[in-house]
Amino acid sequence: RKEVEQDPGPFNVPEGATVAFNCTYSNSASQSFFWYRQDCRKEPKLLMSVYSSGNEDGRFTAQLNRASQYISLLIRDSKLSDSATYLCVVSPSGGSYIPTFGRGTSLIVHP
Amino acid sequence: NAGVTQTPKFQVLKTGQSMTLQCAQDMNHNSMYWYRQDPGMGLRLIYYSASEGTTDKGEVPNGYNVSRLNKREFSLRLESAAPSQTSVYFCASRDNKYGYTFGSGTRLTVV
């Protein structure tokens, strides 16, 4: 089993739709969780951290389920500009903080 | 605040040539990383440096060497480039609270 798994997609949705991605991780000792966004031929950029209690940033909501070892990202009212690849990142809390990246989920928002 | 700066942005090498990819961060981060990203493979860790003066191998270190010159700079060297090293290379550094910040990448082609 891969350490961090994501459905590669693509998720093809119309503008205004709500879309959700999940990411499962295998290391139960993982402590830090992030969602990154990567545009074509660009570097990954932090979208949001994922906290145990769940967190929201505008149209984006992230949740963590430690019991089932997955994190989720919900995007409401999708915009054309949301088209990108979304990377799930899982990291230990200490040491060298080596993160494990998922391979990403591709989102295409169409008019 | 420049964040993470990588040079060069593009490079074409002939098989057997050597080169050094430069990376510098101005955020006073302790941990720095070098990744390569290939289509369908996601981000793979080449080397990392948990702090100034230390370096360790990641998932795919063969054919590479690194130097953590000081807290700001972490360079990646290809001693004898091979076509299999054609990839996009990203440098990153880590903040305890805000996750990983990436440079804009180096697109390397080995012919």
Side-chain angles (χ1 to χ4, degrees):
Chain A
R1 180 183 175 186
K2 295 187 180 69
E3 290 189 52
V4 177
E5 293 199 54
Q6 294 183 253
D7 181 344
F11 286 65
N12 205 321
V13 303
E15 275 187 288
T18 295
V19 62
F21 311 136
N22 281 343
C23 165
T24 59
Y25 62 94
S26 60
N27 186 352
S28 60
S30 300
Q31 292 295 327
S32 300
F33 307 89
F34 308 93
W35 282 104
Y36 276 71
R37 170 193 170 125
Q38 186 172 25
D39 294 290
C40 186
R41 301 179 67 79
K42 299 285 189 180
E43 73 273 23
K45 293 185 178 178
L46 180 65
L47 179 65
M48 57 198 304
S49 302
V50 186
Y51 303 119
S52 296
S53 56
N55 47 300
E56 188 174 309
D57 182 3
R59 297 182 293 108
F60 299 85
T61 300
Q63 292 194 316
L64 167 63
N65 185 317
R66 286 191 184 274
S68 300
Q69 294 184 203
Y70 74 87
I71 65 173
S72 63
L73 177 68
L74 180 76
I75 305 175
R76 291 180 299 277
D77 189 22
S78 298
K79 312 293 185 189
L80 295 176
S81 58
D82 293 334
S83 297
T85 297
Y86 291 84
L87 305 176
C88 163
V89 185
V90 175
S91 172
S93 61
S96 55
Y97 299 99
I98 299 175
T100 302
F101 288 82
R103 295 187 179 185
T105 297
S106 175
L107 173 65
I108 301 170
V109 182
H110 59 81
Chain B
N1 188 343
V4 179
T5 303
Q6 275 184 248
T7 57
K9 293 189 182 302
F10 301 94
Q11 184 72 51
V12 178
L13 290 178
K14 294 182 179 179
T15 297
Q17 286 185 316
S18 62
M19 77 163 294
T20 300
L21 282 64
Q22 307 287 352
C23 175
Q25 51 94 7
D26 60 3
M27 298 171 286
N28 202 36
H29 290 171
N30 286 320
S31 299
M32 297 185 73
Y33 312 83
W34 275 105
Y35 288 91
R36 61 178 288 173
Q37 188 174 37
D38 303 290
M41 297 296 293
L43 285 158
R44 292 185 292 170
L45 183 64
I46 304 171
Y47 270 93
Y48 67 97
S49 171
S51 61
E52 183 180 354
T54 68
T55 62
D56 283 287
K57 295 179 180 179
E59 180 185 356
V60 288
N62 291 346
Y64 306 94
N65 284 301
V66 291
S67 295
R68 183 74 182 266
L69 303 171
N70 46 55
K71 193 170 187 178
R72 291 187 64 249
E73 298 173 288
F74 188 37
S75 62
L76 177 72
R77 182 160 178 84
L78 286 71
E79 291 291 350
S80 179
S84 60
Q85 294 178 305
T86 293
S87 188
V88 180
Y89 292 85
F90 290 106
C91 176
S93 66
R94 192 194 193 280
D95 175 89
N96 286 354
K97 183 176 180 182
Y98 297 110
Y100 305 86
T101 301
F102 286 82
S104 59
T106 297
R107 282 159 182 76
L108 174 67
T109 301
V110 183
V111 298

